[in-house]
Amino acid sequence: QVQLQESGPGLVKPSETLSLTCTISGDSVTSSGVYWGWVRQPPGKGLEWIGYIFYTGSTSYNPSLKGRVSISSDTSKNSFSLHLTSVTAADSAVYYCTRSTLSMARGLIGDYFDFWGQGSLVTVSS
Amino acid sequence: SYVLTQPPSVSVAPGQTATITCEGDDIGRKTVHWYQQEAGQAPVLVIYNDDKRPSGIPERVSGSNSGNTATLTINRVEAGDEADYYCQVWDSSRDHRVFGGGTKLTVL
């Protein structure tokens, strides 16, 4: 069974960088056909996709984050990390690390989030 | 960017059928996935690829997708089904993932 565990500071000051790490057990960050990524949820609001890193090392990010985000992986620690720069109070949220699996149905390619971490609450405040 | 629209709330009596819609431009040409999020918990996948159930999800939960609307149906609703539900697709033109705004299911 795949398990994901987020770790990192729960409090970040405005204008600083938010950094979180997700440690994987039961799978590998180099598994083929798998995306490792992040989703966040501001208090009382819906889910927002942040981005992913593919097993090939390619990445994709939500354009709403305007170039402030990067995701990297560490094969030696079987983990991947999120970095979000120049944070403001609007970045306060529960951050979930996720695994999504590439799939094909009706001739259409897609992927779905089949495993989620428990979530890590990050508050941006001075 | 691609937009998914869900009703903010749906209410249903126990034993009845809950229907939650997810509207998007030509969504029938994408595969749709659904997640259940109970209060204070991480989301859980309940339907993938329009109508497939992961192991452990009861048969009374089903999905469909055609035209501009995807639908999550929960038959014989129970109190334990009360949660927020989100639809999700892959916007292949931009390689982005998109979530609907979520629907709060209330069991009366």
Side-chain angles (χ1 to χ4, degrees):
Chain A
Q1 177 76 340
V2 177
Q3 291 186 317
L4 305 175
Q5 180 65 59
E6 304 92 349
S7 59
L11 182 64
V12 181
K13 289 182 169 55
S15 80
E16 295 190 345
T17 296
L18 180 159
S19 295
L20 293 172
T21 295
C22 182
T23 301
I24 304 164
S25 55
D27 201 347
S28 170
V29 74
T30 59
S31 289
S32 62
V34 171
Y35 299 89
W36 303 100
W38 296 89
V39 172
R40 71 180 182 178
Q41 185 172 37
K45 296 189 177 181
L47 303 172
E48 179 183 27
W49 175 72
I50 296 173
Y52 74 74
I53 184 164
F54 199 35
Y55 74 105
T56 58
S58 65
T59 56
S60 180
Y61 304 119
N62 190 324
S64 70
L65 295 170
K66 296 184 176 67
R68 297 190 293 128
V69 61
S70 65
I71 297 174
S72 59
S73 64
D74 185 336
T75 56
S76 68
K77 295 181 179 179
N78 202 30
S79 66
F80 58 101
S81 296
L82 169 70
H83 300 282
L84 184 64
T85 62
S86 305
V87 298
T88 69
D91 295 309
S92 296
V94 174
Y95 286 76
Y96 296 99
C97 60
T98 62
R99 188 190 87 164
S100 54
T101 297
L102 194 60
S103 69
M104 174 80 75
R106 298 191 283 119
L108 302 171
I109 294 176
D111 67 311
Y112 50 87
F113 298 96
D114 51 1
F115 290 97
W116 298 67
Q118 65 186 21
S120 179
L121 175 62
V122 179
T123 301
V124 179
S125 174
S126 55
Chain B
S1 62
Y2 194 77
V3 176
L4 296 174
T5 301
Q6 299 182 235
S9 63
V10 168
S11 298
V12 63
Q16 299 304 303
T17 297
T19 301
I20 298 173
T21 58
C22 175
E23 294 184 333
D25 184 40
D26 216 8
I27 196 174
R29 295 174 65 87
K30 302 180 182 298
T31 54
V32 179
H33 320 295
W34 291 90
Y35 305 87
Q36 176 195 58
Q37 185 180 34
E38 297 180 357
Q41 302 296 312
V44 173
L45 180 71
V46 293
I47 291 288
Y48 66 99
N49 290 350
D50 299 333
D51 58 7
K52 304 295 186 291
R53 281 184 305 275
S55 61
I57 302 302
E59 290 185 8
R60 60 189 185 83
V61 179
S62 62
S64 63
N65 181 22
S66 179
N68 293 316
T69 304
T71 303
L72 176 71
T73 302
I74 306 174
N75 293 313
R76 301 182 299 284
V77 165
E78 304 171 354
D81 296 324
E82 190 161 281
D84 294 324
Y85 291 83
Y86 295 90
C87 57
Q88 177 253 319
V89 300
W90 178 33
D91 179 4
S92 57
S93 64
R94 296 172 177 81
D95 191 25
H96 296 155
R97 280 64 176 160
V98 180
F99 287 99
T103 298
K104 180 175 182 59
L105 175 63
T106 298
V107 181
L108 301 171

